[in-house]
């Protein structure tokens, strides 16, 4: 299909089915897991620095 | 470099490029060329996103940064996981629902063509400049190793990247990046293991950490709030988050990676995968730099890591002074070796007084070494000035590659060079692909030639890729004007990302603001950011560049709201397309 036939920005389809993540049941839990893991990592970095200071 | 290393390096790179070309030989229409076939799984997206960000600069400059300043640079990436989550929640669903080719395409529906064109142009300027630096970084290595001219090396690297990017488009970029990222991770882990095994037999891994820690090299987190400090947790969490929101949410070189996902779920998983893995990966790269630092406490480092600079000084009237400084460096290395061993012994006895004395002795030896290095830097600068040129005496970017070439075993040297080339090719190919796509979709096809057939746009996309490749090569030849490559890329990004992110933030979250207000705000703030950076550059004000992202974004939003509410900037609001 020619590129010119693709409209720049078609209207959103309101009936798109919601997509679920493969694990943890909801995207909210997925995001929370990533953020908690990040906080744990920062705490580990802090403890690591303190241990060898 | 040995024959085996050459075989490993050329074999690895040839295999990856051939794989990319073969896998994408069926790309024969512009949609496949610019978006792939939208069939990528999350791990390919995640690795592709990581490979796009991790250029050769990451693997050359970052260990040198740690060697010089410790682990604090890791904080720079602390905003990244937060940005990944924000993008997954707010931005990806909109891009997917609107089925856009580029991030800027969305802005035309939300505002108008002028806003779309302005943001596309800001992207093209900053990414076009950065693409040159990502080619330049590996070129300095090869020119240094082979004794080739720098420009010839830049040209050869650029041609390989342009070749497979032109051949296979977006899909070639993504499929090669997956292989490249695997090689990169394996190579860096191998380098990390080898540097630890190269330490003296009686110095264990924990001893190495104790030495580095006592010299202040392991301080990852800095809680002090200082606007002029480039890397503290506050600038990282605020400025860094805005930088990454802008980079991953609005920079087409990244947007194009996750828009080629099979579904919204795959793209979200790819970004979250990046959010989980990126900070540990950067920490690993920095940590290798720390281990190289400890290694050079026991083995005499070069008095200056850039051999090309040293060669110039050796051939000049300053040669006797250099010989003297090299002798002094050797003597100091005997001191650092003995002092580091004493510190390890002192720590084992657990006597605070003895530890403090040993630490002070080692610190004094390290300071003496730095002093000698700074005197060599002065010779390098003076010798270059005598030749009428401005030399770059900064040698941090050469630290890791010097270690790789001189101390890694045969075979692994070739693999690590393949790592650096892979990183350069992966990020450069993404950039060329995105530059060509944005020019094609947002400028050429939208405003210049609107109604031609698919083959015309496919052919033009390839020409545009070649054209941007040539622009990148041109800028690569001037990249030595910057004293630290990784910072140069981030500074260029920070100059433009804040405004671009501000425009997108208005589009997503302030539905009452129209096109004229946001366009005027973007232009005003871009000028203000330029002035602020100039004042900072000439030390009139103290401001670390990361804050430019926050300033640019917040000011764009505030001024757009102000202009809109003043009633003189009415314009289209894109009610239909607003998500």
């Amino acid at each position: 299909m020619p590129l010119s036939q693709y409209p720049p920005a078609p209207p959103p389809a309101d009936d798109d089915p919601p997509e679920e993540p493969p694990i943890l049941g909801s995207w909210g839990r997925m995001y929370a897991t990533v953020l908690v893991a990040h906080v744990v990592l920062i705490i580990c970095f802090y403890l690591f620095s303190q241990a060898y200071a | 470099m040995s024959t085996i290393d050459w075989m490993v390096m050329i074999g690895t790179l040839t295999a990856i490029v051939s794989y990319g070309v073969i896998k994408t030989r069926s790309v024969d229409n512009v949609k496949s060329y610019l978006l792939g076939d939208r069939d990528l799984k999350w791990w390919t997206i995640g690795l592709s996103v990581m490979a796009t960000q991790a250029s050769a600069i990451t693997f050359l400059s970052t260990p040198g940064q740690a060697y010089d300043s410790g682990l604090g640079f890791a904080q720079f990436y602390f905003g990244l996981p937060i940005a990944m989550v924000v993008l997954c929640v707010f931005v990806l669903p909109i891009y997917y629902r609107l089925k856009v080719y580029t991030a800027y395409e969305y802005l035309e529906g939300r505002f108008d063509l002028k806003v779309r064109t302005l943001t596309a142009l800001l992207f093209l300027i900053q990414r076009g400049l950065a693409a040159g630096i990502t080619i330049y970084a590996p070129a300095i290595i090869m020119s240094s190793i082979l004794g080739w001219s720098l420009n010839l090396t830049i040209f050869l690297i650029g041609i390989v990247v342009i070749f497979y990017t032109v051949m296979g488009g977006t899909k070639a970029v993504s499929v090669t990046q997956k292989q490249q990222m695997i090689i990169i991770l394996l190579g860096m882990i191998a380098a990390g293991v080898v540097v630890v095994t190269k330490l003296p037999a009686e110095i264990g891994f924990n001893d190495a950490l104790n030495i580095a820690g006592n010299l202040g090299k392991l301080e990852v987190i800095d809680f002090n709030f200082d606007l002029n400090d480039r890397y503290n947790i506050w600038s990282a969490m605020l400025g860094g988050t805005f930088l990454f929101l802008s980079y991953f949410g609005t920079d087409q070189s990244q947007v194009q990676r996750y828009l080629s996902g099979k579904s919204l779920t795959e793209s979200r998983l790819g970004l979250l995968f990046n959010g989980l893995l990126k900070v540990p990966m950067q920490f690993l790269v920095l940590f290798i730099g720390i281990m190289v630092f400890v290694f050079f406490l026991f083995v005499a480092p070069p008095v200056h890591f850039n051999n090309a600079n040293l060669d110039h000084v050796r051939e000049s009237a300053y040669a006797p002074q250099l010989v003297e400084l090299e002798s002094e460096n050797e003597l100091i290395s005997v001191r650092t070796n003995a002092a580091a061993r004493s510190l390890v012994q002192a720590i084992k006895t657990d006597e605070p007084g003895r530890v403090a004395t040993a630490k002070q002795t080692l610190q004094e030896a390290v300071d003496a070494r730095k002093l000698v290095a700074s005197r060599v830097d002065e010779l390098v600068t003076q010798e270059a000035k005598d030749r009428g040129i401005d030399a770059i005496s900064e040698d941090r970017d050469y630290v890791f590659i010097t270690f790789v070439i001189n101390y890694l075993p045969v075979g692994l040297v070739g693999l690590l060079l393949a790592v650096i080339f892979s990183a350069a090719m992966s990020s450069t190919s993404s950039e060329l692909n995105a530059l060509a796509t944005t020019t094609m979709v947002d400028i050429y096809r939208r405003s210049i030639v609107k109604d031609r057939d698919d083959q015309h746009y496919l052919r033009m996309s390839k020409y545009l890729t070649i054209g941007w490749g040539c622009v990148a090569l041109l800028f690569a030849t001037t990249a030595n004007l910057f004293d630290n490559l990784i910072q140069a890329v981030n500074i260029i990004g920070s100059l433009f990302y804040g405004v671009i992110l501000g425009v997108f933030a208005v589009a997503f979250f302030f539905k009452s603001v129209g096109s004229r207000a946001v366009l005027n705000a973007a232009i005003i703030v871009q000028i203000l950011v330029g002035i602020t950076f100039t004042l900072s550059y000439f030390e009139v004000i103290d401001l670390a560049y990361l804050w430019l992202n926050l300033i640019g974004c917040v000011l764009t939003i505030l001024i757009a709201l102000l202009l809109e509410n003043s009633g003189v900037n009415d314009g289209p609001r894109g009610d239909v397309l607003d998500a």
Side-chain angles (χ1 to χ4, degrees):
Chain A
M1 187 183 285
L3 182 63
S4 55
Q5 291 179 26
Y6 290 92
D14 293 331
D15 55 351
D16 282 348
E19 295 186 62
E20 293 299 323
I23 53 169
L24 299 179
S26 74
W27 284 108
R29 285 188 199 138
M30 291 286 288
Y31 302 144
T33 304
V34 171
L35 294 176
V36 168
H38 186 46
V39 171
V40 169
L41 190 64
I42 291 174
I43 292 170
C44 288
F45 284 151
Y46 177 74
L47 295 175
F48 172 74
S49 301
Q50 293 300 306
Y52 289 100
Chain B
M1 204 163 87
S2 73
T3 309
I4 293 174
D5 288 322
W6 277 108
M7 287 167 64
V8 170
M9 185 185 80
I10 293 173
T12 305
L13 296 176
T14 305
I16 292 172
V17 171
S18 304
Y19 176 78
V21 172
I22 291 167
K23 283 281 280 185
T24 56
R25 64 188 185 281
S26 62
V27 172
D28 60 357
N29 64 80
V30 74
K31 188 171 179 245
S32 280
Y33 191 80
L34 298 182
L35 276 183
D37 292 321
R38 281 195 157 152
D39 60 352
L40 298 182
K41 303 289 281 181
W42 65 268
W43 55 84
T44 304
I45 296 168
L47 290 173
S48 183
V49 164
M50 286 181 80
T52 295
Q53 189 185 15
S55 65
I57 300 166
T58 306
F59 302 100
L60 285 171
S61 198
T62 308
Q65 187 111 13
Y67 182 95
D68 206 44
S69 317
L71 292 174
F73 184 61
Q75 295 171 109
F76 176 76
Y77 296 92
F78 281 3
L80 189 144
I82 301 166
M84 294 297 101
V85 169
V86 172
L87 293 173
C88 286
V89 173
F90 295 107
V91 178
L92 261 68
I94 295 174
Y95 287 163
Y96 260 87
R97 287 168 71 191
L98 299 181
K99 295 182 172 61
V100 292
Y101 276 74
T102 72
Y104 321 108
E105 204 174 337
Y106 159 71
L107 294 176
E108 183 176 356
R110 171 63 180 82
F111 297 116
D112 62 13
L113 178 60
K114 286 179 190 167
V115 177
R116 173 184 180 176
T117 307
L118 175 72
T119 49
L121 287 173
L122 289 179
F123 164 73
L124 291 174
I125 292 168
Q126 68 93 358
R127 189 47 60 188
L129 288 170
I133 297 175
T134 52
I135 293 179
Y136 171 79
I140 56 174
I141 309 163
M142 285 310 287
S143 62
S144 167
I145 293 169
L146 301 173
W148 292 357
S149 99
L150 181 59
N151 287 345
L152 173 69
T153 318
I154 287 169
F155 180 75
L156 288 174
I157 294 168
I159 289 299
V160 174
V161 178
I162 292 169
F163 167 70
Y164 77 81
T165 310
V166 168
M167 293 296 285
T170 291
K171 203 162 187 180
V173 173
S174 296
V175 297
T176 50
Q177 279 180 328
K178 188 166 70 174
Q179 324 297 329
Q180 286 161 339
M181 203 60 215
I182 291 167
I183 294 292
I184 286 168
L185 290 174
L186 289 176
M188 291 308 284
I189 290 169
V193 170
V194 169
V195 66
V196 173
T197 62
K198 288 277 178 185
L199 293 171
E202 64 275 27
I203 303 295
F205 180 60
N206 196 46
D207 298 327
L209 290 177
N210 274 320
I211 293 169
N214 272 284
L215 292 175
K217 294 283 184 186
L218 299 185
E219 289 171 15
V220 184
I221 300 171
D222 180 359
F223 287 105
N224 293 319
F225 185 83
D226 180 358
L227 282 175
N228 193 37
D229 184 6
R230 283 176 175 171
Y231 308 117
N232 60 51
I233 196 159
W234 312 113
S235 66
M237 296 302 253
L238 291 170
T241 300
F242 277 83
L243 172 65
F244 291 122
L245 275 175
S246 191
Y247 174 56
F248 287 99
T250 71
D251 188 310
Q252 183 61 20
S253 64
Q254 284 293 1
V255 173
Q256 202 155 354
R257 306 277 65 77
Y258 54 76
L259 282 186
S260 55
K262 190 176 182 181
S263 65
L264 175 59
T265 296
E266 299 294 338
S267 295
R268 275 177 166 159
L269 290 173
L271 285 191
L272 294 180
F273 172 69
N274 184 45
L276 281 173
L277 213 62
K278 181 68 183 178
V279 178
M281 191 195 86
Q282 286 302 139
F283 181 81
L284 169 72
V285 177
L286 283 164
F287 192 76
I288 290 169
I290 296 292
M291 288 297 108
V292 171
F293 170 80
V294 175
F295 170 80
F296 278 127
L297 291 175
F298 297 100
V299 174
V303 74
H304 182 84
F305 283 95
N306 184 345
N307 267 331
N309 281 348
L310 282 183
D311 288 343
H312 282 302
V313 176
R314 284 195 187 101
E315 291 163 7
S316 74
Y318 303 103
Q321 287 165 263
L322 178 62
V323 170
E324 201 176 301
L325 288 168
E326 283 180 321
S327 303
E328 203 174 324
N329 186 52
E330 289 288 336
L331 290 174
I332 291 170
S333 287
V334 174
R335 279 172 59 198
T336 58
N337 189 333
R341 288 169 195 270
S342 296
L343 178 59
V344 169
Q345 290 305 317
I347 291 168
K348 282 176 182 166
T349 62
D350 205 19
E351 294 172 22
R354 197 176 155 192
V355 172
T357 307
K359 179 179 166 180
Q360 190 182 344
T361 308
L362 178 57
Q363 187 64 61
E364 284 169 2
V366 171
D367 290 344
R369 194 166 80 181
K370 276 186 186 167
L371 188 65
V372 169
S374 69
R375 284 161 63 194
V376 173
D377 289 349
E378 285 168 19
L379 287 186
V380 168
T381 307
Q382 191 57 48
E383 185 279 329
K385 198 180 278 182
D386 292 350
R387 283 187 287 129
I389 59 166
D390 290 327
I392 303 297
S393 59
E394 179 59 65
D395 61 349
R396 263 183 302 201
D397 296 334
Y398 294 81
V399 171
F400 182 57
I401 195 63
T402 301
F403 173 79
V404 166
I405 297 208
N406 294 322
Y407 298 102
L408 287 192
V410 171
L412 206 51
V413 174
L415 182 68
L416 261 291
L417 289 176
V419 163
I420 290 161
F421 272 108
S422 293
M425 293 198 302
S426 64
S427 50
T428 308
S429 62
S430 280
E431 288 167 336
L432 296 185
N433 186 224
L435 287 164
T437 302
T438 303
T439 313
M440 162 57 68
V441 175
D442 296 305
I443 310 287
Y444 183 79
R445 171 246 175 187
R446 181 65 189 87
S447 302
I448 300 173
V449 178
K450 296 181 180 177
D451 294 311
R452 294 293 296 273
D453 61 16
D454 190 76
Q455 284 307 304
H456 171 80
Y457 290 119
L458 177 62
R459 198 167 54 250
M460 280 308 296
S461 298
K462 293 185 176 184
Y463 291 152
L464 286 168
T465 308
I466 295 170
W468 276 112
C470 293
V471 171
L473 288 176
L474 184 67
F475 280 114
T477 57
T478 56
N480 62 350
L481 298 173
F482 300 99
D483 65 347
N484 183 287
L485 296 172
I486 196 160
Q487 283 185 18
V489 170
N490 289 328
I491 288 170
I492 290 170
S494 297
L495 279 172
F496 297 97
Y497 278 145
V499 173
I500 296 176
L501 181 62
V503 172
F504 274 87
V506 171
F508 289 134
F509 302 116
F510 299 93
K511 297 178 181 179
S512 64
V513 178
S515 62
R516 203 170 301 157
V518 82
L519 183 71
N520 289 337
I523 293 169
I524 292 166
V525 176
Q526 190 59 67
I527 293 168
L528 286 176
V529 167
I531 292 170
T532 308
F533 176 72
T534 308
L535 291 174
S536 171
Y537 184 79
F538 289 106
E539 297 178 355
V540 179
I541 58 169
D542 285 341
L543 188 75
Y545 68 83
L546 271 180
W547 293 105
L548 294 175
N549 298 284
L550 181 65
I551 291 168
C553 179
V554 172
L555 277 183
T556 302
I557 295 169
L558 290 178
I559 293 177
L561 285 170
L562 197 69
L563 291 175
E564 186 62 41
N565 291 328
S566 70
V568 296
N569 274 285
D570 290 338
R573 289 176 176 77
D575 295 336
V576 176
L577 299 173
D578 199 356

